[in-house]
Every structure is written in C-alpha cells, then in structure tokens.
Amino acid sequence: MSIEIYNTKTGQKSPLVTLEEGKIKLYVCGITAYDYCHIGHARSALVFDMIVRYLRYRGYEVTFIRNFTDIDDKIIKRAQEQNTTCEELSNRFITMFHEDMASLGILPPTIEPKATEHLPEIIGLIEDLIRKGLAYQVAADVYFRVTGFNGYGSLSGRNLDEMQAGARVSINEKKEHPMDFALWKGSKPGEPTWESPWGPGRPGWHIECSAMSRKYLGNSFDIHGGGKDLIFPHHENEMAQSEGATGEEFVKYWMHHGFVTIKEEKMSKSLGNFLTIREVIARFAPEALRLFIFSTHYRNPLDYSEAALLDAVAGLNRLYTCLAEIEQLPATGNDQAASAIPKTDREKIETIAERFRKAMDNDFNSAQALGHLFEGVKIINKIRQHLPGKPASLDLQLLKQGAETTRDMANTLGLLTENPTLYLQKEQGKILKTLSLTPEEIENAITERTTARETKNWTLADEIRDQLLAKGIELKDGPAGTAWQVKLP
RNA sequence: GGCGGCGUAGCCAAGUGGUAAGGCAGUGGUCUGCAAAACCAUUAUUCAGCGGUUCAAAUCCGCUCGCCGCCUCCA
C-alpha cells in the first residue's frame, strides 16, 4: 500500500508517486523573522516534522527545505520601531526560532535558506519572467502580469473576475491589472537595498520561495507545504512565477495544514490572541504539546485551551506509565507454560504497527494512528494486570514486543522518545519544585504517619495523608512501606 | 459578494456506503485498615435539522440552521 496525500490543488487524495523513486523533495514556507513564534507556528513545524519523520520511516530519502523570510515590510517596520537594522532583527528572531524548534524536538531541515542570501537567484528569475513577457517594470518596481499566465487561480480555485468582485483589492494605478503583484520593489530611503537591473530595491514577498526552491530542489519537486492561509496569495503567486518561468509543473502535491484557534478564533499576531511557544513549553512537556497537536488531523482546525493541554498531559502519562510498567516485568518467565492471552488480544497487539501505518498512510491521520496506540496500551495493561505469578515466557515476550512497537511507532511522530521511568520522574520533579514542600518534609510526615498507623491511629494517619494530598502529594501504602509521588495532572 | 471547510457522547476526536476507534472527565469494581495511584469495566439505537437515493448512510445528493477560514500581512 502506498501513502495517500490530500492535494490542495486537486482537492482530493491521491497516491504518493515521487518524481524520483524513493526520494522526496519537500519545501515548506517558514517564518517571517520579526517576532516570537506562537503555537500556530509550532503546529506548522510539528506537522511537517511528523511528515518528514514518517516519510523517512517509510523508507524515503527526504530533502527538506524550510526557508526564512528575512526581508519584508513587517521586518522593516519593526526594525525601525526598535531602532535596529533588519539584519539584526531577523537574525535575533531566527535564533529564537531555532531555540523554540530545539525545545520542541523538531528535526532540522536539510537546508534553511534565507531570502537575503539569494538575491542573484531572485534577480535572475525576475529577468526570466520579463523575458517571457510575464513581468513588466513600472518606475522602480517590477510586477508579475497575472493575465499572462493562464493557470492563475488554479491552486486556490478562484478566477480573476471573482477576485476583483471581492473589492478588497486596492487599486494601484501603476499596475496593469489589480491582481498583478510585486516581484521587485524599488526601495525607499533608509530601507535595505540591493542593486538590480531595475535600480536599487528589494524582492517582493513571493519571489524568494520560487527562487530558493528552484535552486535547491529544481524546477519541479514533490511536496510544497505551509499553513492554509498561504494558499492565496502566496502559493498561488509562487506557482505562477515558477511555472511561468520554467514552463514545468512546479509542485506535485500541495499540502496545507489548518490553524490553531483560541476560543474558535484564528490565533494570529494581528488579533493579538496568541501564546508563544516558550510560554507553553514553560508549563507543559514538549511531547504533551505534540500529542495535543497530533490528536486531530492536520488539516482540521485545532482549538487551544489549557484544558486541552492538560488532557494531552494525562494521555502522555498513560502512555509512558504503560511503558514503565512493562519495563518492570521479569526478564524470564515459564518456558513450559502455554499462553494465557486470548487470541483476539494477541492479534490486536501483533497488528499495532500495521494499523498505525495504515492510518498514517491515509494522509497522515495521526489522530487515528494514536487511537490505535492507545487501544494497544489498553490491551497491554489488561494483560499485564492479569499476569500470573510465573507468567509464560511467550506472554512476557508479547507484552514487551507490544510496548516496543508502541514506542517505535510513537517515535515516528516524535513521541515517547524519552526513557519512561525518567520521564515520569522528571514530570513529578518539575511539579515538586512548584510546591511549597521539600522531600524531607514529606518524608517526615510519612514517618509520623507510619507511627500512627502502627498504633492504629487511623484518624491521625488519614489526616496526615489528606494534608499531603491537598498539597499535591499522593501516598501509596504497599507491602514495603509507604511511597510517595507528586500528583500529575 | 466569491471560494473553501466544519457541525459525531459532558469535553476533545477518528470514522467517506455495511451497522459508531481512541483520549479526558464521570460512574462501578479490583487492591487497601480506609484511601490514593495503577488497572479493569462501563458511558451515543445514534452522528446539527428536514427531505431524497440505496437492500443498507454519520458517510452520497438537495435544502435549512449554526460556526469558522481565505479573498489584505499571516503558520
């Protein structure tokens, strides 16, 4: 079975057939570096991280390009506000971006090109377009002639007449057609400037991606991705530029992910309703954010809330707890004993990987894939719970294999990458730091309670236990004494 | 106005023609002096509403209602 991918351009899923056998060339639009990244950016990065990881797991050699836009109107404006240069500003936020990506455990792309480092390629592409009659110069600017490219609108499913009827397009008298867009902008005093055949200026927003993808991936490549908000105009314009210049099909599969919303409203800088990645990571484990993001299909909207993150934390704890419990199992069992595991359960465990792959092959349906992992965990837990004192070796082996498969599959999503026991300890440690209690105080209270229990003073014993619980410490009475742990969300 | 998407249990969320995955929360149970944790079991005769196609529909078609996004910078 092959992987099926939903292609924005065709509006349907189709089997992934790569240009070159076993290889995938992927270009993703990265950030415009002028501010901290928010959860929406995290979703974009995580979705494509998952896609890259999964494609590699499925045997593809993936060349992954993710660019930085380090020159544009917003950067110029913000730099002026902060009384700094565009270069300093964009470099600062690129560094922040890298820190955020590292904290989220996102694999670095093969290449991360910047617009400002590709001026020769950009200028060359614009010259190609002018030569082909697809671009024209007006004063210091160069515009793309949308009426000269007859596929214009085919990606976003629009046509030029409809878009003009929208009336939100401002009329610029210099342009031949209201929808024509800038390839090159003559610079105003004080703005970053590069020399060009059309005078000093800077590139328009869309041309950089056409130039850089062409340089690193060629005229034609397999997958181009980004957020849904990039479909129009950004990707529509990129496609027009690239196909106009080369005459070849620019991209085979266009992939666009949905937005992160807050209270059902799109998270965006202009609305001011965003949380930065660092704010969220300060409170929740990076893998919890991952689990949250992957708990819905990448094309659907995803509503951020604290409650939703806490759900994800609980889910992640369930997964890690299962793995930790399986690690505690004895290494050897009874070689003679027959398996005590029902056939249906055995089959469920044995087919975890197969079912996981089937879900992921279906347009990266991580929500369904995770459902299979949770179902597997449920069965593994059930079997483990009912294991006899001297379990059959066969059954121990099945449980261990099931846990290992679960971990391997989760790894292809960047989940369950930590040692289970250490992860759980670390999470508890993080919470303990926020509590007004030291381990010594807890131990002392337990000693006091143990004495009370020995004299069957249940009232006092329960009181001590309740007081600790109110502070977030759970006690576990066992044969070997009383252990404590921090209450996880 | 144009284009696109969504509406599944208390909440989140899979499921694109064959009789409702999974997670969180809740409830019952195992364990325990009682608990907690963990685990198990259980929770939608029904998929926004109304029609239609079909032996069969959450899934296809039509209409209605509600929500969201893009058309301007945006992941």
Side-chain angles (χ1 to χ4, degrees):
Chain A
M1 270 301 289
S2 73
I3 295 172
E4 297 235 322
I5 291 183
Y6 179 88
N7 187 347
T8 304
K9 191 170 177 187
T10 61
Q12 55 193 19
K13 282 185 233 177
S14 52
L16 173 64
V17 180
T18 58
L19 289 166
E20 206 178 328
E21 174 91 35
K23 294 187 178 176
I24 287 181
K25 292 176 177 174
L26 167 68
Y27 188 95
V28 175
C29 287
I31 57 158
T32 298
Y34 74 106
D35 206 341
Y36 290 105
C37 290
H38 59 61
I39 302 306
H41 299 112
R43 183 179 194 186
S44 179
L46 285 166
V47 161
F48 287 104
D49 188 59
M50 163 187 85
I51 289 170
V52 169
R53 284 173 189 261
Y54 186 70
L55 290 172
R56 286 186 178 145
Y57 162 72
R58 294 291 263 123
Y60 289 97
E61 189 184 306
V62 181
T63 305
F64 172 30
I65 313 295
R66 184 179 57 214
N67 74 289
F68 286 112
T69 296
D70 60 346
I71 178 66
D72 95 317
D73 294 349
K74 293 189 296 294
I75 294 174
I76 292 171
K77 183 162 174 273
R78 184 64 58 91
Q80 282 168 351
E81 286 167 7
Q82 297 191 3
N83 201 20
T84 183
T85 63
C86 291
E87 194 180 6
E88 188 281 325
L89 182 84
S90 59
N91 280 336
R92 177 159 30 109
F93 284 106
I94 286 171
T95 303
M96 301 291 188
F97 175 83
H98 281 140
E99 287 173 11
D100 288 342
M101 293 302 105
S103 71
L104 291 174
I106 287 168
L107 302 172
T110 314
I111 302 171
E112 294 183 288
K114 296 179 192 173
T116 57
E117 292 173 357
H118 295 79
L119 265 295
E121 290 84 355
I122 289 169
I123 289 167
L125 189 56
I126 296 173
E127 287 179 314
D128 287 348
L129 289 167
I130 291 176
R131 208 174 300 126
K132 295 209 170 188
L134 286 169
Y136 56 94
Q137 181 179 3
V138 179
D141 300 336
V142 179
Y143 293 97
F144 184 88
R145 181 176 280 134
V146 292
T147 53
F149 178 72
N150 69 16
Y152 195 78
S154 65
L155 174 64
S156 54
R158 301 152 202 256
N159 65 56
L160 288 169
D161 296 338
E162 282 165 359
M163 285 189 278
Q164 284 180 83
R168 290 177 73 182
V169 180
S170 58
I171 306 294
N172 177 339
E173 258 126 55
K174 295 193 290 187
K175 297 195 281 190
E176 292 178 2
H177 185 106
M179 295 307 296
D180 286 352
F181 55 91
L183 299 172
W184 187 263
K185 297 178 176 184
S187 53
K188 302 188 188 77
E191 292 180 354
T193 294
W194 289 266
E195 284 308 317
S196 82
W198 318 286
R202 59 191 170 89
W205 175 34
H206 318 292
I207 194 70
E208 61 189 78
C209 289
S210 286
M212 294 189 285
S213 63
R214 186 185 193 181
K215 176 173 182 181
Y216 296 108
L217 299 176
N219 290 347
S220 233
F221 55 96
D222 298 294
I223 303 175
H224 192 134
K228 278 187 170 166
D229 46 3
L230 296 181
I231 297 171
F232 191 90
H234 186 54
H235 288 162
E236 189 72 59
N237 291 353
E238 264 186 62
M239 190 173 88
Q241 292 161 351
S242 293
E243 297 195 351
T246 67
E248 296 174 42
E249 186 184 32
F250 180 43
V251 167
K252 289 203 69 180
Y253 302 89
W254 288 92
M255 297 184 71
H256 294 97
H257 63 261
F259 304 126
V260 177
T261 59
I262 289 192
K263 295 189 172 68
E264 309 287 304
E265 212 174 18
K266 182 183 170 188
M267 183 183 285
S268 73
K269 286 177 183 167
S270 45
L271 286 171
N273 60 343
F274 61 89
L275 274 101
T276 62
I277 292 174
R278 29 198 80 201
E279 284 171 315
V280 173
I281 289 301
R283 299 204 42 218
F284 301 102
E287 287 197 7
L289 181 61
R290 254 183 206 266
L291 187 62
F292 165 66
I293 300 267
F294 297 157
S295 67
T296 190
H297 185 87
Y298 77 88
R299 280 188 282 116
N300 292 149
L302 177 62
D303 201 51
Y304 178 91
S305 69
E306 175 141 339
L309 257 291
L310 287 170
D311 278 4
V313 169
L316 192 60
N317 287 341
R318 179 174 168 82
L319 295 175
Y320 270 122
T321 302
C322 173
L323 296 192
E325 295 287 349
I326 296 301
E327 279 185 355
Q328 302 301 314
L329 252 32
T332 55
N334 184 343
D335 290 336
Q336 266 69 49
S339 172
I341 299 175
K343 187 161 175 264
T344 50
D345 285 347
R346 174 173 289 277
E347 280 171 357
K348 280 281 187 188
I349 293 177
E350 283 170 343
T351 56
I352 289 172
E354 186 184 320
R355 288 180 291 130
F356 180 90
R357 275 197 295 269
K358 194 176 171 201
M360 288 297 287
D361 280 357
N362 181 14
D363 196 31
F364 308 97
N365 192 337
S366 56
Q368 190 175 41
L370 285 168
H372 291 315
L373 296 190
F374 275 104
E375 190 193 16
V377 162
K378 181 192 253 185
I379 295 167
I380 289 170
N381 282 337
K382 182 175 70 178
I383 295 169
R384 199 207 79 232
Q385 186 84 355
H386 294 110
L387 234 38
K390 183 80 174 164
S393 298
L394 273 174
D395 292 353
L396 285 178
Q397 201 185 348
L398 182 72
L399 290 180
K400 288 183 179 185
Q401 273 175 2
E404 196 177 317
T405 305
T406 299
R407 201 196 54 219
D408 289 348
M409 293 304 108
N411 280 174
T412 71
L413 305 179
L415 288 166
L416 303 185
T417 60
E418 301 191 43
N419 174 287
T421 309
L422 293 179
Y423 169 84
L424 293 169
Q425 283 172 359
K426 196 173 71 184
E427 284 302 295
Q428 294 183 352
K430 266 164 44 182
I431 295 171
L432 184 61
K433 275 189 197 162
T434 69
L435 302 177
S436 54
L437 267 181
T438 63
E440 290 73 31
E441 286 170 329
I442 296 166
E443 295 293 349
N444 289 342
I446 289 175
T447 307
E448 191 186 339
R449 176 167 171 272
T450 303
T451 312
R453 292 182 76 215
E454 277 162 0
T455 58
K456 300 207 187 298
N457 185 349
W458 306 124
T459 314
L460 177 60
D462 291 353
E463 196 177 303
I464 293 169
R465 186 179 63 202
D466 291 345
Q467 280 170 1
L468 286 173
L469 184 62
K471 290 176 179 173
I473 302 298
E474 294 167 337
L475 298 190
K476 301 191 290 183
D477 295 328
T482 300
W484 63 274
Q485 67 181 26
V486 178
K487 191 175 189 310
L488 292 171

